[in-house]
Amino acid sequence: MSAADRAIRVSATAAVLGVAGIATYISYWHAYEVISAHGESGVTARLEPATIDGLVYCSSMVVLYAARHRLRVPALARWLLALGIVATLAANLAHGWSHGPIGATVAAWPAASLVGSYELLLWLIRTAAPSAVANEPGVGLSPGAGWDAVPGRFGADHMHRVSDHGAVACSMVTGVGAISEDREEDINVAAVAAYRTSIDTGRPLSERKLAAMFGKTSRRWARSRMAEARQAHLFATADAG
């Protein structure tokens, strides 16, 4: 990551945290007043608003964990995240409803700002993860046991794995399972090899999955690697013919 990218990420994180902190404070007291006006009091009224934003936080953490480890997001996490967002928006809308549509919109803005800022923060955390792939030890792995040398200029130190679910991981293995990512060109070649392997297994990777495997967010980058893989496949087929 360049110094400019690092500065952008740090400043964006600071801004998101600041906005989220302010929005959380306002949203909490809006929800507290609504809950207090509808039958709850004392400690219960003070704690219940925290369960709303806490649900959003817990669900988002599960989604983040799944994204970082290339796992399928549990349906329950998605449903609870949506439920938490709807609940915090509803509580803030109810707080300003007595002042008409404009008052309700103004009251709901902190909740919308909180959810938006929080999701942006999660995106920053998720994309800050090292590019590429599963960080699995390379000890005891050999071709024929689910691992094969990636064709191309990587040589024997670059390997990829096709899991039972069709996921492909590419990395440069040096020493005992230590993973290094030298250059962007290496990543591009690894992505091409990964996509070719997914085609060979009959489970082609999508643009989103291929980009996510290598820490990329651009589907255009993934499409370019896919085009290179298809071209290489055509050349290989022609040579074989």
Side-chain angles (χ1 to χ4, degrees), residues 16 19-28 30-31 52-53 56 81-82 84-94 104-121:
V16 167
V19 171
I22 295 170
T24 299
Y25 178 83
I26 298 173
S27 180
Y28 172 87
H30 282 179
I52 300 175
D53 295 333
V56 175
L81 177 59
I85 292 173
V86 170
T88 190
L89 287 173
N92 282 269
L93 281 170
T105 302
V106 171
W109 175 253
S113 180
L114 170 61
V115 172
S117 298
Y118 190 68
E119 292 304 317
L120 286 175
L121 179 60

Side-chain angles (χ1 to χ4, degrees), residues 89-165:
L89 287 173
N92 282 269
L93 281 170
H95 179 270
W97 195 254
S98 60
H99 300 283
I102 295 179
T105 302
V106 171
W109 175 253
S113 180
L114 170 61
V115 172
S117 298
Y118 190 68
E119 292 304 317
L120 286 175
L121 179 60
L122 291 181
W123 184 86
L124 287 172
I125 294 173
R126 185 167 59 248
T127 56
S131 307
V133 291
N135 187 10
E136 300 181 37
V139 180
L141 297 176
S142 60
W147 290 77
D148 300 298
V150 170
R153 70 179 190 77
F154 278 2
D157 284 341
H158 291 76
M159 311 182 80
H160 70 270
R161 180 173 66 102
V162 182
S163 72
D164 293 337
H165 302 288

